[in-house]
Amino acid sequence: MSIPNEALQKIVQEIETRAVTAQQQINLVKAQISSKQRDARLVQLTANEIGSLPKDTNVYEGVGKMFVATPIPVIDKRLSAERDELKSDISNLEKKLQYLETTHKNSRENIEQILRSGTRA
């Protein structure tokens, strides 16, 4: 029982489209992970700088076009929340990346399998 060439071509084309889409999404997710890691590094550096200051230091945060005096514990709490959110985002993006890489690999293997079986027929 052999599959007609037109049907086989259509299947290969669909799998190829899936593989190309997965590759594009892989590149996008890698860029997002890189951006989130850069943001996490910036938050960590800011927290280190804030942590090295004496507790009675006046600290100001930018809000729009002005600066507002903010207590150090409030800034620490915000930075900690940002750090946790970024870690969660990076973890979720890494899971998505793993899924997309698996999808891409499986699509490529399916195409190779179809091509191998098509040449034997």
Side-chain angles (χ1 to χ4, degrees):
M1 185 169 146
S2 179
I3 301 175
N5 277 346
E6 296 82 30
L8 194 58
Q9 254 183 337
K10 187 174 180 180
I11 291 171
V12 169
Q13 192 173 25
E14 287 175 15
I15 294 172
E16 180 68 25
T17 302
R18 198 175 315 139
V20 168
T21 302
Q23 184 61 47
Q24 290 170 343
Q25 289 178 346
I26 285 170
N27 292 337
L28 179 65
V29 169
K30 283 182 179 179
Q32 289 173 337
I33 288 173
S34 176
S35 175
K36 296 285 184 183
Q37 287 173 335
R38 206 172 21 258
D39 292 345
R41 180 76 177 133
L42 183 62
V43 167
Q44 184 62 42
L45 289 172
T46 304
N48 291 345
E49 286 294 320
I50 296 292
S52 68
L53 296 174
K55 294 296 178 195
D56 60 344
T57 305
N58 292 329
V59 180
Y60 298 88
E61 260 188 309
V63 179
K65 292 185 177 181
M66 65 181 187
F67 293 94
V68 177
T70 308
I72 290 179
V74 172
I75 293 176
D76 283 338
K77 185 176 179 182
R78 182 184 57 78
L79 291 174
S80 177
E82 278 185 47
R83 189 178 316 120
D84 292 343
E85 183 180 342
L86 286 168
K87 282 182 184 178
S88 172
D89 289 349
I90 290 170
S91 174
N92 290 337
L93 286 170
E94 286 173 345
K95 289 176 187 174
K96 184 176 181 179
L97 179 64
Q98 184 179 7
Y99 169 78
L100 289 170
E101 286 175 339
T102 302
T103 301
H104 183 262
K105 179 179 162 243
N106 289 342
S107 296
R108 287 290 169 201
E109 287 174 356
N110 288 341
I111 289 173
E112 289 174 14
Q113 184 181 14
I114 289 171
L115 292 176
R116 276 194 307 262
S117 66
T119 57
R120 278 190 237 144

